[in-house]
Amino acid sequence: GSLDVNGSIRSACPPQFDYIGADFVSGMGVGFVLDDPYSLPFEPKTFDIILSSSCFEHSEISWIAFLEIMRVLKPAGLFYLDFPSNGGLHRYPVDCWRFSRDSGDALVAWA
């Protein structure tokens, strides 16, 4: 989610790129309000780079979200995924998962 709750990665976006933020609610940093995280409102192979930082633990079925991200990412695109492996519960609105070192490889195998 791109809603600026406690900071945003938007300021790190190089000027030659367009930053498009998506979240479930409108607010600062959000360009697209999503109705369904498992059906992104973008054409296949749209994006060169997709970033997800500390979002996947809030997805009930994160592996399906991963597939949808792969659908809208260009074939030679870059997907940066950051998720917690520990830490306290932080519902926003839910907190479903902690990920181990092998989780990224498992998502790639799934996709």
Side-chain angles (χ1 to χ4, degrees):
S2 63
L3 181 65
D4 188 347
V5 175
N6 59 1
S8 172
I9 59 174
R10 181 180 211 127
S11 62
C13 183
Q16 70 269 27
F17 294 103
D18 293 324
Y19 178 94
I20 299 171
D23 209 311
F24 296 113
V25 295
S26 63
M28 186 168 24
V30 180
F32 287 89
V33 176
L34 301 174
D35 294 323
D36 180 354
Y38 312 110
S39 180
L40 298 175
F42 307 108
E43 294 295 319
K45 303 175 186 173
T46 297
F47 297 103
D48 296 303
I49 301 169
I50 297 176
L51 304 170
S52 176
S53 181
S54 297
C55 294
F56 267 44
E57 70 270 21
H58 301 289
S59 174
E60 289 92 345
I61 44 179
S62 57
W63 51 94
I64 301 298
F66 184 81
L67 287 178
E68 186 63 1
I69 288 168
M70 293 299 101
R71 181 187 70 80
V72 300
L73 185 66
K74 289 181 180 177
L78 171 70
F79 178 41
Y80 173 81
L81 176 59
D82 174 42
F83 44 66
S85 62
N86 59 21
L89 191 66
H90 58 282
R91 290 188 174 104
Y92 193 75
V94 296
D95 189 350
C96 301
W97 309 103
R98 292 298 175 267
F99 296 86
S100 74
R101 169 177 283 167
D102 297 323
S103 298
D105 292 337
L107 286 171
V108 170
W110 167 256

